[in-house]
Amino acid sequence: MSFIPNHVLPSTAQQPPSAPRGPDETASHVAEILAPLHEVARDSASLIASRQPIEIRRLSAEIHKFLLLGQRGGGKPIRLGLFAGFETGNVETVRALASLLLQLQGSLTLSRDFALIGYPVVNVRGFTAEAAPLADFEARFARDSAEADVQFFKTELRKWRFNGLLSLRVDPSARGFYAAVRSEIIAAEVVEPALAAAASALPLATQAVKVRPGDRYARTADYAHGRLSPPADVQPYPFEIELYAPRGPITEEHTDGLFVALTEILRLYRAFIAHGQDL
């Protein structure tokens, strides 16, 4: 584990090479990827799916959202936001998140005590005919644009008051999967052992866990630059984990590794807060 300043991480505006599909095909592909989740949700008591029709600059689009309620334990569920679809036209993280939710829906004991709220596509314009870069969404998020996609995510962040945020990202320069975390203790107690458990299926970068500054100044700067996060003065501030995949397809084996990593994060974080309550 190492401590790194903000500028060492790949820019949130950095984009991988264009996907081989055209923009219209990409939007259709996203709908195809998410169709099984919507179908399962129709007959599920634990998975709730919704589509929010929106219009951005005269382009029609949908924001997909999935609420998965794990096996009920004691107390109030831990609210964890799962985000993907940041990099323009790159459906790999969208597919990975859909697969993770489907697997978790089939084994609710693994998400015991959690309410998982999944957003497979954050950069909505990046998956439309305009194929706008992530920098466009971040610029509009930073200035609190009235456009529907920005207001949707700002409302969700306020409404749910997440305990944690977990994002699936792509870093074209990476040589393996790695995680970026704001808290040294979450990195050491939760993320490092979770990635170690998944290492056989998930090829990890040499530096598998990077710790970002977690002070209020850093959070304020990130929010001002349009990073998908709540305002810096939210109390308590949610823990943040970003799982970065290298360039290229996320294979079925990689998804299995991400599933192990995610379920271990859930288990270890649940144990971490339970231990804290006992202190």
Side-chain angles (χ1 to χ4, degrees):
M1 180 174 66
S2 68
F3 185 86
I4 57 172
N6 283 332
H7 68 271
V8 176
L9 285 171
S11 166
T12 53
Q14 188 176 20
Q15 302 292 317
S18 297
R21 296 171 180 264
D24 292 333
E25 285 185 282
T26 300
S28 298
H29 196 197
V30 167
E32 178 185 319
I33 289 168
L34 299 179
L37 270 173
H38 286 285
E39 183 176 349
V40 168
R42 282 198 288 269
D43 299 315
S44 173
S46 57
L47 180 64
I48 302 168
S50 63
R51 294 181 175 93
Q52 176 71 43
I54 63 169
E55 187 171 296
I56 314 173
R57 301 182 186 181
R58 294 179 300 218
L59 283 176
S60 296
E62 286 184 326
I63 300 178
H64 298 262
K65 172 184 170 183
F66 301 91
L67 168 61
L68 179 64
L69 299 172
Q71 187 182 75
R72 191 66 184 268
K76 191 175 180 179
I78 303 163
R79 300 175 303 281
L80 179 61
L82 303 174
F83 303 89
F86 289 85
E87 288 75 24
T88 298
N90 189 309
V91 298
E92 295 298 326
T93 59
V94 179
R95 183 186 295 109
L97 181 52
S99 178
L100 293 174
L101 288 170
L102 279 172
Q103 291 183 71
L104 285 168
Q105 196 277 332
S107 186
L108 296 174
T109 57
L110 295 174
S111 55
R112 180 172 59 86
D113 296 325
F114 278 87
L116 305 177
I117 303 95
Y119 307 88
V121 179
V122 170
N123 179 20
V124 180
R125 277 190 75 204
F127 293 79
T128 66
E130 286 191 353
L134 178 58
D136 168 81
F137 174 78
E138 291 180 329
R140 292 183 295 116
F141 192 90
R143 68 173 184 266
D144 196 18
S145 166
E147 290 177 298
D149 56 336
V150 169
Q151 290 306 312
F152 173 86
F153 283 105
K154 290 211 168 191
T155 298
E156 292 292 294
L157 288 166
R158 286 193 302 269
K159 179 177 74 174
W160 286 102
R161 296 186 67 86
F162 292 106
N163 300 102
L165 310 174
L166 190 150
S167 300
L168 300 181
R169 301 294 310 275
V170 175
D171 177 2
S173 66
R175 294 181 178 272
F177 288 79
Y178 70 90
V181 194
R182 277 200 190 272
S183 162
E184 290 194 47
I185 191 167
I186 292 292
E189 298 293 328
V190 177
V191 181
E192 283 185 344
L195 289 183
S200 61
L202 209 60
L204 300 179
T206 303
Q207 187 180 342
V209 180
K210 304 178 181 183
V211 181
R212 304 183 69 247
D215 58 275
R216 184 171 176 176
Y217 175 81
R219 298 198 305 262
T220 300
D222 279 349
Y223 187 77
H225 285 90
R227 184 182 183 85
L228 184 71
S229 59
D233 58 356
V234 165
Q235 295 293 333
Y237 197 82
F239 71 85
E240 294 180 77
I241 301 171
E242 292 174 298
L243 293 176
Y244 282 90
R247 181 197 304 268
I250 297 177
T251 67
E252 186 175 344
E253 183 179 18
H254 294 159
T255 303
D256 290 342
L258 288 171
F259 180 72
V260 171
L262 175 57
T263 55
E264 280 295 285
I265 286 171
L266 300 182
R267 183 184 70 83
L268 291 164
Y269 183 72
R270 186 168 55 234
F272 172 75
I273 59 174
H275 177 69
Q277 291 168 354
D278 292 338
L279 294 179

